[in-house]
Amino acid sequence: MSLFRTIRLALRFSLREMRGGLSGFLIFLACIALGVAAIGGVNSVARAISASVADQGQTLLGGDLRFQINQREATTAERAFLDSLGTVSENTGMRSMARLVDGSDQALVEAKAVDDAYPLYGTIETEPALSRQDLLGERSGVFGAVAPDLLFDRLHLSVGSRIKLGGAIFELRARLVNEPDAISDGFGFAPRLMISREGLAASGLVQPGSLTENAYKVRLPAGSDDARVKAIQQQAAKDFPESGWSIRTRGNAAPALSSNIERFSQFLTLVGLTALVVGGVGVANAVRAYLDGKRGVIATFKSLGASGGFVFAVYLTQILMIAALGIVAGLALGALMPFAASAALQSVIPVPAEGGFYPGALAMAALFGVLVTLAFALLPLGRARDVPATALFREMGFEGRGRPRLVYVATALGIAALLAALAIQFSGDRRIAAIFVGATLFAFLVLRLVGALVQWLARKSPRVRSTALRLAIGNIHRPGALTPSVVLSLGLGLTLLVTLALIDGNLRRQIEGNLSERAPNFFFVDIQASDVDAFATLVGREAPQGTLAKVPMLRGRVMALSGVPVDKVKVPAAGAWVLRGDRGLTYDARQPENTTLTEGAWWPDNYAGEPLVSFSAQEAKEIGLKLSDTVTVNVLGRNVTARIANFRQVEWESMGINFVMVFSPNTFAGAPHGWMATLTEKNATTADDARVLNAVTRAFPAVTTVRVKDALDIVNRLVGQLGTAIRSAAGVALISSVLVLAGALAAGNRARVHDAVVLKTLGATRRTLILAFSLEYMLIGLATALFALAAGSVAAWFVVARIMMLPSHFMPEVALATVVLSLVVTVGIGLAGTWRVLGHKAAPVLREL
């Protein structure tokens, strides 16, 4: 028989056998559909957001190009260059304190001063809707301002209320509903306060050395293509090599958002793949149970002369057709996710997902679904191929018939390797993907060993007197036992949940406990050099028990490492943040008290040689720096090159004054700069903090005061939201585990019915059988929970202690929740299936013996 005729005949028989419906394959379909939907949906949403960012690039950026300079305005030559490109809008951003006119309350704000040309793209949405002049213009010496509801709520204001910013009074004339280019200004811990540039000048907040961000947004003439934009970037770098400005284009309007969406979608894709792999165990169980129910049909096929290959082709065709149904269902759900996410994410991120069809994301999910189905279905199909017809007529099933042929084992392993390779290839960060895939594979193998170990212990356990317990132990290690499937499927899902719960719990503990205890009460920024002594005197009077630490502060951008421009330096992701954007810089004649040198020596007092810099040891290691390398930073439009004199250990978790780079004092001689300070007073009450805050704000309105507890509360809330989202995503893997557990019970029902009937015939009561099954499920669930707890704890410790460099603590409440969840799932689902098993009548089963 030719190959074509064999395939056609196999397809015909497959379709005939499927007339009976999909009974027994509902778990199979659910596992495949869930995993495919998770992968396809997550990637579709990510691509939808990326497409939205790309389509709205000009509006999100506020122009075709955005030039940002910190702590200074553009020079005459720089401004002339910008004006030659097209229409320019200049915005100045800075943090400051907004106070009630009577001084009774105040709040930190992100002030944004805009000019008459703002916005170049998009529109400001306010309530009520007013013209720019009515919103921000001056009336009788009072400037206008707009702010979001958050500021109105914090200071109990209403439209028409007045506040003070620096030395000027502003009237809140509307509520800010939408700021078109907010995303390009980055994330802020404080609410926005939008004012005019004239209003900012009247406030007196901008002084030499003030921490301001000046953004120049350019609208190019109509028809300017991407090549023109790129040419402008190159020209700006060539003509102004020491400008220190960062340039962003409409094609890269929100790099931080895009990067975060990419990372989060990568994580969720890997979680979805884990769910799909867990579901693969369900596929194997469903195929095994289905073939077990087809013993008579397969035996008849073989008795009538059908080859093992023909039998394999018939049932492989059926499995692939059923898998196709699950994949189609998953793709349908995945395709709908961008439309649902458009509404759900609107309040979370500033760029909603655009509903649309993304074939690339869905095709990847479908491919993963097919590969998982083949990887897990080939082994039971291969075993059925080689079982003789006589054995099928005599035996209950395929268990105990040895391993499939080597070709099936090799093919299944090859498909699994291809699946892992594709998961890594399609990932944005292949290193993380490789670690995740490797960890999943390792957990898969270890869980197999754990299942075998549990069975070995049950087999070697001493004989017990309790009949129910003896039956339970026997069920754990007998051929065809549920133990391997339950431990494998439930173990992966629980391990993932334990890991994430412990990481989230440790982060919260650091924020609420250790960080709150060690962190200072306040950060004070933008203290003018002429006011430092008076400021210290005031704080000493208001907080006599407190400790004030103060250091000079500038902002600078790393331009080159050992003469190589940073955009040409390949840096691992862990240290890339140091070279991205502007960094806080300081100088000191003496080694700071809270640091320890790990290599090199500090410069002597009154040092007057070449500029030197002390670099954070951890970050230097990640970047690949060594002693005597040079670092070039741009400060106030001037490139300064310093040689690395030493490395020091920085305790970032202390929340004190820490800098990546500390320079020798002669490096920035004559450069205008401000100071920053911290106040630490452990026994201070809320009233004490309020008194200090009011006194500083009244005496030094230009000083920005950040209450650390408020900032930690915001961080804690963000961590909580992120943790909830991640655990919800990991719940997909747990749902797959539960489905696989239900499928494993269904696959073993045939043997369970046989056992129950024989035992009841021999005198076992219904109560004894229920107790035996309950004990079996409880022992397996407990073993699975203990493994998940151990593996999850190790994984969480590694992430917290080795990657995040934070103290790691074991959390008993997570352990208890894991054990309870495991027992509830295993015993609950197990007993739900047991009732149906115990309800079978004995006569039909006994006639088949």
Side-chain angles (χ1 to χ4, degrees):
M1 185 182 294
S2 67
L3 177 62
F4 176 76
R5 289 188 60 192
T6 301
I7 294 175
R8 188 173 64 179
L9 189 60
L11 179 60
R12 184 188 306 169
F13 275 103
S14 298
L15 292 173
R16 284 181 180 176
E17 281 207 60
M18 290 179 66
R19 290 174 183 172
L22 299 176
S23 177
F25 278 100
L26 294 180
I27 300 294
F28 180 119
L29 287 170
C31 289
I32 294 297
L34 185 65
V36 170
I39 296 173
V42 164
N43 282 277
S44 291
V45 171
R47 297 190 187 194
I49 295 174
S50 298
S52 184
V53 170
D55 291 343
Q56 302 177 44
Q58 292 171 318
T59 301
L60 297 176
L61 186 67
D64 294 294
L65 291 116
R66 179 182 189 272
F67 296 77
Q68 180 175 313
I69 308 173
N70 290 342
Q71 289 192 276
R72 70 178 182 90
E73 294 186 346
T75 63
T76 302
E78 291 168 342
R79 184 60 197 247
F81 169 74
L82 296 175
D83 288 334
S84 70
L85 302 177
T87 306
V88 179
S89 173
E90 182 179 357
N91 309 157
T92 300
M94 67 183 303
R95 292 185 180 89
S96 189
M97 303 300 296
R99 298 167 289 147
L100 298 182
V101 176
D102 62 6
S104 61
D105 201 359
Q106 58 278 310
L108 180 68
V109 295
E110 299 272 353
K112 179 176 181 177
V114 300
D115 59 11
D116 292 338
Y118 177 86
L120 297 177
Y121 291 97
T123 57
I124 303 174
E125 295 180 24
T126 61
E127 195 176 284
L130 301 172
S131 67
R132 186 200 174 282
Q133 178 60 32
D134 290 336
L135 286 174
L136 308 179
E138 181 185 3
R139 295 177 186 168
S140 303
V142 177
F143 290 91
V146 294
D149 287 336
L150 182 58
L151 183 61
F152 282 88
D153 294 340
R154 283 188 181 178
L155 294 180
H156 308 290
L157 302 171
S158 60
V159 173
S161 296
R162 294 186 175 187
I163 57 175
K164 291 192 73 174
L165 187 71
I169 296 177
F170 292 83
E171 180 183 25
L172 293 171
R173 295 176 183 166
R175 296 175 184 268
L176 181 61
V177 178
N178 180 51
E179 179 186 351
D181 59 342
I183 191 173
S184 67
D185 293 329
F187 173 77
F189 282 105
R192 169 73 73 211
L193 181 67
M194 188 175 292
I195 59 177
S196 65
R197 289 183 55 79
E198 294 79 11
L200 179 63
S203 72
L205 290 175
V206 180
Q207 299 291 330
S210 294
L211 299 181
T212 58
E213 297 178 351
N214 292 292
Y216 298 85
K217 301 174 183 183
V218 182
R219 179 170 186 156
L220 300 177
S224 300
D225 57 13
D226 292 342
R228 170 60 177 158
V229 172
K230 186 175 182 179
I232 291 173
Q233 281 185 282
Q234 294 172 344
Q235 183 182 356
K238 177 182 178 182
D239 294 349
F240 303 95
E242 294 196 4
S243 65
W245 52 27
S246 60
I247 307 174
R248 206 182 303 164
T249 70
R250 63 196 180 194
N252 189 31
L257 175 63
S258 299
S259 178
N260 289 333
I261 292 296
E262 181 181 345
R263 290 193 192 101
F264 201 61
S265 65
Q266 175 183 328
F267 170 77
L268 295 182
T269 298
L270 293 173
V271 170
L273 184 58
T274 302
L276 196 55
V277 171
V278 171
V281 181
V283 169
N285 290 336
V287 172
R288 187 186 68 184
Y290 179 68
L291 294 176
D292 190 53
K294 293 292 183 180
R295 289 179 306 112
V297 178
I298 296 174
T300 302
F301 275 148
K302 291 190 174 183
S303 297
L304 294 176
S307 66
F310 178 77
V311 172
F312 178 85
V314 168
Y315 290 101
L316 177 61
T317 302
Q318 287 189 37
I319 298 304
L320 288 177
M321 285 192 291
I322 295 170
L325 293 177
I327 291 172
V328 169
L331 293 179
L333 291 174
L336 292 174
M337 282 191 188
F339 297 93
S342 179
L345 297 177
Q346 196 164 7
S347 61
V348 180
I349 60 175
V351 184
E354 288 187 346
F357 183 69
Y358 299 91
L362 298 177
M364 180 177 70
L367 177 60
F368 282 156
V370 171
L371 292 178
V372 166
T373 300
L374 290 174
F376 285 90
L378 282 179
L379 296 183
L381 286 171
R383 187 176 289 111
R385 179 196 191 284
D386 292 329
V387 177
T390 54
L392 287 170
F393 280 125
R394 286 197 307 268
E395 296 183 5
M396 290 293 297
F398 300 103
E399 296 299 331
R401 299 303 306 174
R403 297 181 181 278
R405 293 187 182 187
L406 182 60
V407 64
Y408 295 113
V409 176
T411 303
L413 291 176
I415 293 173
L418 177 61
L419 186 66
L422 290 176
I424 296 171
Q425 180 65 31
F426 288 154
S427 176
D429 191 327
R430 294 177 183 174
R431 175 177 170 271
I432 293 178
I435 293 174
F436 193 97
V437 170
T440 302
L441 178 62
F442 179 74
F444 200 93
L445 296 175
V446 170
L447 283 166
R448 278 291 188 190
L449 293 176
V450 170
L453 177 62
V454 171
Q455 289 186 295
W456 181 83
L457 291 174
R459 193 178 298 114
K460 297 298 182 181
S461 64
R463 185 179 179 84
V464 294
R465 300 190 54 161
S466 170
T467 302
L469 183 57
R470 191 162 61 249
L471 287 173
I473 294 174
N475 285 340
I476 290 175
H477 68 77
R478 70 174 187 176
L482 296 173
T483 310
S485 294
V486 174
V487 171
L488 179 60
S489 60
L490 196 59
L492 279 174
L494 281 177
T495 300
L496 188 59
L497 279 181
V498 169
T499 302
L500 295 174
L502 287 174
I503 292 173
D504 178 60
N506 274 283
L507 284 178
R508 285 174 171 274
R509 183 169 183 169
Q510 284 295 312
I511 294 170
E512 295 175 353
N514 293 351
L515 287 183
S516 296
E517 293 173 3
R518 300 177 62 183
N521 299 60
F522 290 100
F523 271 90
F524 302 100
V525 185
D526 269 351
I527 307 169
Q528 292 300 304
S530 58
D531 294 334
V532 169
D533 293 336
F535 174 85
T537 301
L538 173 68
V539 173
R541 184 171 63 249
E542 296 294 332
Q545 304 301 317
T547 301
L548 183 71
K550 56 186 186 297
V551 296
M553 182 177 177
L554 304 92
R555 300 290 294 181
R557 183 180 182 87
V558 180
M559 304 297 291
L561 299 176
S562 296
V564 180
V566 292
D567 57 354
K568 293 182 172 56
V569 178
K570 292 185 177 180
V571 178
W577 67 273
V578 176
L579 308 181
R580 188 169 50 241
D582 285 68
R583 300 264 69 79
L585 309 174
T586 190
Y587 59 85
D588 207 329
R590 299 181 180 179
Q591 179 181 333
E593 295 180 358
N594 63 340
T595 61
T596 302
L597 294 188
T598 60
E599 192 175 354
W602 201 264
W603 42 85
D605 289 342
N606 301 319
Y607 175 76
E610 67 170 328
L612 299 177
V613 61
S614 172
F615 214 96
S616 170
Q618 180 66 30
E619 282 66 34
K621 180 180 178 182
E622 292 167 348
I623 295 174
L625 296 174
K626 59 184 184 298
L627 286 181
S628 296
D629 283 348
T630 61
V631 178
T632 301
V633 295
N634 185 279
V635 178
L636 299 173
R638 176 189 168 200
N639 284 348
V640 177
T641 299
R643 190 169 301 281
I644 298 177
N646 59 73
F647 296 120
R648 69 192 193 288
Q649 190 66 42
V650 178
E651 296 181 4
W652 298 108
E653 66 273 13
S654 70
M655 292 289 290
I657 299 179
N658 288 307
F659 293 86
V660 174
M661 292 170 281
V662 178
F663 291 82
S664 57
N666 62 316
T667 306
F668 304 118
H673 61 273
W675 286 65
M676 73 174 297
T678 60
L679 173 63
T680 305
E681 188 176 6
K682 296 305 179 186
N683 298 321
T685 64
T686 303
D688 293 333
D689 285 348
R691 186 185 67 254
V692 171
L693 181 58
N694 281 325
V696 170
T697 304
R698 285 173 181 272
F700 302 98
V703 172
T704 301
T705 306
V706 179
R707 187 168 179 254
V708 175
K709 185 181 183 303
D710 294 336
L712 289 179
D713 288 342
I714 294 174
V715 172
N716 191 34
R717 186 164 61 250
L718 291 173
V719 169
Q721 293 172 349
L722 185 61
T724 300
I726 291 176
R727 283 199 300 276
S728 299
V732 174
L734 188 61
I735 292 173
S736 290
S737 298
V738 172
L739 289 172
V740 172
L741 178 58
L745 289 167
N749 270 352
R750 185 182 186 86
R752 297 269 165 174
V753 170
H754 174 269
D755 291 349
V757 166
V758 171
L759 289 170
K760 284 196 291 185
T761 302
L762 295 176
T765 65
R766 191 182 185 92
R767 178 178 178 276
T768 300
L769 293 178
I770 291 176
L771 182 58
F773 287 140
S774 298
L775 288 172
E776 175 191 354
Y777 304 141
M778 191 176 296
L779 290 173
I780 296 175
L782 184 61
T784 305
L786 292 177
F787 167 80
L789 199 56
S793 298
V794 171
W797 167 84
F798 180 80
V799 172
V800 173
R802 297 302 183 192
I803 297 179
M804 297 182 177
M805 305 300 289
L806 295 172
S808 178
H809 302 275
F810 181 73
M811 309 182 75
E813 63 272 20
V814 173
L816 180 62
T818 303
V819 173
V820 171
L821 179 62
S822 180
L823 293 180
V824 168
V825 169
T826 52
V827 176
I829 295 178
L831 288 181
T834 299
W835 286 112
R836 192 173 63 177
V837 168
L838 295 178
H840 275 76
K841 295 185 180 297
V845 178
L846 292 175
R847 277 197 295 268
E848 293 182 3
L849 295 179

